[in-house]
Amino acid sequence: MVAAIAYYSLMGAAFALIFIVGTTLYSAGYKKKGIYGNILFGAMVASCLIIGASISADMINGLIYLVLIAIIVNHSSQNLVGTFKDLEVDAKTHASTVIQIKGIHISIIYAFMVSTLALILSLMPWYFGLLGENYVLIPFCAYLFQMRALGLFYHTPSVKNGFEALKMYRTATIPLYISFIEGLPNHSPLNASMCPFEHFKNRTKD
């Protein structure tokens, strides 16, 4: 796989190799290492964006970097919520997940904080002028859906509601990522190569 990607992009091949190493570590036990496993999962999902972008364009612009960071944080929160359904099993296997170490309420607070950070980061492409205004509503809707999932598990922390919370998080992720494309029609290809801070400067001058 790495060799095939290298044919199109050396950068993509490098990230593909990192992806392979990361997923191997995650499967080997890092998935039970608390917040470190959550972040590793998010980073591995986000690396697919870099691989695809480098193959199609062989360059990474400001928009890709901003979306990359947002995806890392969003999927880290989703992976954290994913441990809720394993509450009973992880207790028996003495897994070092956040919910086992910190407890249910603290874990929900962590998930809330990370999800809120993901929302803020998801709005950065619009803030810097890289995505159009028709993009803004969907991240907020996805965030409200995530909060509903956390509320469900908070009121009745059970394996069943852990599964339901994870399904709601995953459902919220689909329109969120589609919204990155939805905001692109107002995005100029010429400006895509610019640093996002240049967009912010241009907006403040208007």
Side-chain angles (χ1 to χ4, degrees), residues 22-23 26 30-47 68-69 71-81 83 98 110 114 117:
T23 51
Y26 184 80
Y30 262 81
K31 65 184 300 181
K32 301 295 184 181
K33 295 297 182 180
I35 196 67
Y36 300 108
N38 303 143
I39 295 174
L40 178 61
F41 179 84
M44 292 305 96
V45 173
S47 67
L68 172 73
I69 297 172
I71 290 177
I72 290 175
V73 178
N74 184 69
H75 268 278
S76 296
S77 67
Q78 180 177 303
N79 189 250
L80 173 57
V81 172
T83 62
V98 174
Y110 278 15
V114 178
L117 177 60

Side-chain angles (χ1 to χ4, degrees), residues 91-117:
K92 295 178 181 179
T93 58
H94 304 288
S96 299
T97 57
V98 174
I99 196 169
Q100 296 299 325
I101 297 174
K102 299 294 184 180
I104 294 174
H105 290 174
I106 297 299
S107 297
I108 292 175
I109 292 174
Y110 278 15
F112 166 75
M113 294 173 61
V114 178
S115 297
T116 302
L117 177 60

Side-chain angles (χ1 to χ4, degrees), residues 52-153:
S54 60
I55 290 175
S56 62
D58 199 23
M59 64 173 294
I60 308 299
N61 57 40
L63 174 60
I64 297 298
Y65 281 121
L66 290 174
V67 174
L68 172 73
I69 297 172
I71 290 177
I72 290 175
V73 178
N74 184 69
H75 268 278
S76 296
S77 67
Q78 180 177 303
N79 189 250
L80 173 57
V81 172
T83 62
F84 293 175
K85 63 180 175 53
D86 300 324
L87 178 64
E88 297 178 359
V89 174
D90 287 346
K92 295 178 181 179
T93 58
H94 304 288
S96 299
T97 57
V98 174
I99 196 169
Q100 296 299 325
I101 297 174
K102 299 294 184 180
I104 294 174
H105 290 174
I106 297 299
S107 297
I108 292 175
I109 292 174
Y110 278 15
F112 166 75
M113 294 173 61
V114 178
S115 297
T116 302
L117 177 60
L119 170 65
I120 295 171
L121 292 172
S122 296
L123 294 173
M124 289 299 100
W126 164 78
Y127 180 75
F128 289 120
L130 294 166
L131 292 179
E133 295 177 354
N134 51 343
Y135 156 78
V136 176
L137 180 61
I138 299 179
F140 278 106
C141 292
Y143 177 74
L144 292 176
F145 211 57
Q146 292 173 339
M147 293 303 101
R148 176 69 182 89
L150 294 181
L152 175 68
F153 190 77

Side-chain angles (χ1 to χ4, degrees), residues 16-27:
L17 185 60
I18 294 173
F19 174 82
I20 293 172
V21 173
T23 51
T24 301
L25 289 174
Y26 184 80
S27 300

